[in-house]
Amino acid sequence: MSESILSATAVAALFELPFADLLYQAQTVHRAHFDPNRVQLSTLLSIKTGGCPEDCGYCPQSRRHGTAVADEPIMDLDSVLEAARRARAAGATRFCMGAAWRGPKQKDLDPVLAMVRAVKALGLETCATLGLLRDGQAEQLKGAGLDYYNHNLDTAPEFYGEVITTRDYQDRLDTLGRVRGAGLNVCCGGIVGMGESRLQRAGLIAQLAALDPQPESVPINMLVRVEGTPLEEASSLDPLEFVRTVAVARICLPKSHVRLSAGREAMSDELQALCFLAGANSIFYGDKLLTTGNPEADRDRALFERLGISPAQAVGA
Ligand code: SAM
Ligand code: DTB
Ligand code: SF4
């Protein structure tokens, strides 16, 4: 059954609620669909770092920005497998491989297909984020055993052009259509804290909620301001506005895993606790995102202990 289409203004009305009312509503929706004390763990690996031709204003991997990230070749299969085994041993259930491409060429896709097959054989769920896909590529990934494909809408259509000029919103929707058409699970979210308005944050969530069916996984990233990127000086978002964003995502995407994504390293335990209370039930787990830092696994385990949170069942456990 398709969800009713929410307008950005209707979503913005949720943002306007008193904080306690918003969190109560989000927690109620969360409890209707999920065990509120379980959080899913995904580990990221950058299998192809840097040198990207796109101009995404937030991204340290664009070759157009003067960041410290160098253009590296694609990783070899054994090193990827070693990282996947480590992620599995630490308790992750999903392994997400990211590449700094506009999209893969066939010669790029072949080694990724081998990685997907091998990581899947370890008993992990597999995810890839490789940029725009052409016809047939999502089917090849599905055939290799890919479970999820991550491709973000990033922000509201009205703000998008301020951040990225080398590909448009429709390109992203087309790729999401190909991913869904191939029978893959969709992981699609965005970034906040880029200077967008509250109405634009609501617009992003309205777009995510309008995907039919809704994405299985919704990463909500807080911008990591990286030196050398056009957004390095973006003004910081009120942390409580971030919590509101998570809560609104939970209400509008009731059955999706909402992932508390980039930006956790700079967040206190208390802020993260509020995000879990607001309905976040997934995190990136492991000391690195793609090129930037993430909390150490020990810190996350201690936080879960303090909050009585259990990780979603680990493979082989
Ligand atoms: N190149 C592919 C693409 O853009 O689709 C895949 C990798 S790309 C790094 C994946 C996502 O990471 C982006 O869509 C964006 O949402 C997120 N991201 C990148 N840099 C970020 C930053 N500095 N802070 C927060 N999120 C970021
Ligand atoms: C997503 O939404 N966030 C992740 C994952 N999907 C690929 C990436 C965050 C990247 C943060 C900047 C970096 O580490 O390079
Ligand atoms: Fe390239 Fe992806 Fe970074 Fe954009 S977000 S510059 S496409 S790696």
Side-chain angles (χ1 to χ4, degrees), residues 132-145:
L132 300 175
L133 296 180
R134 299 176 210 177
D135 279 340
Q137 292 185 320
E139 285 75 8
Q140 292 186 63
L141 287 161
K142 172 81 182 166

Side-chain angles (χ1 to χ4, degrees), residues 232-246:
E232 79 168 283
E233 309 276 8
S235 42
S236 60
L237 187 70
D238 173 2
L240 293 180
E241 182 71 8
F242 184 81
V243 179
R244 282 181 182 273
T245 309
V246 171

Side-chain angles (χ1 to χ4, degrees), residues 4-37:
S4 59
I5 306 273
L6 289 161
S7 68
T9 350
V11 177
L14 291 170
F15 272 91
E16 302 294 327
L17 287 170
F19 191 75
D21 292 346
L22 175 60
L23 259 70
Y24 179 69
Q25 204 175 312
Q27 179 65 201
T28 306
V29 171
H30 192 188
R31 282 171 183 267
H33 297 284
F34 291 100
D35 175 343
N37 304 309

Side-chain angles (χ1 to χ4, degrees), residues 1 6 8 47 61 64 88 94 143-144 148 175 184 194 202 212 263 288 290 307 316:
M1 196 186 72
L6 289 161
I47 58 163
Q61 302 201 70
R64 298 168 190 246
R88 184 180 65 173
R94 191 176 309 159
Y148 289 78
T175 285
L184 290 163
M194 299 194 294
D212 186 13
K288 211 168 168 198
L290 291 173
L307 300 176

Side-chain angles (χ1 to χ4, degrees), residues 58-61 99-101 129-131 150-152 154 167 172 191 221-224 226 262 290:
Y58 48 75
C59 187
Q61 302 201 70
W101 292 319
T129 181
L130 316 171
N150 165 250
H151 196 62
N152 290 340
D154 276 350
R167 62 167 91 167
R172 291 184 183 255
I191 314 179
N221 296 278
M222 173 79 108
L223 175 70
V224 180
V226 179
L290 291 173

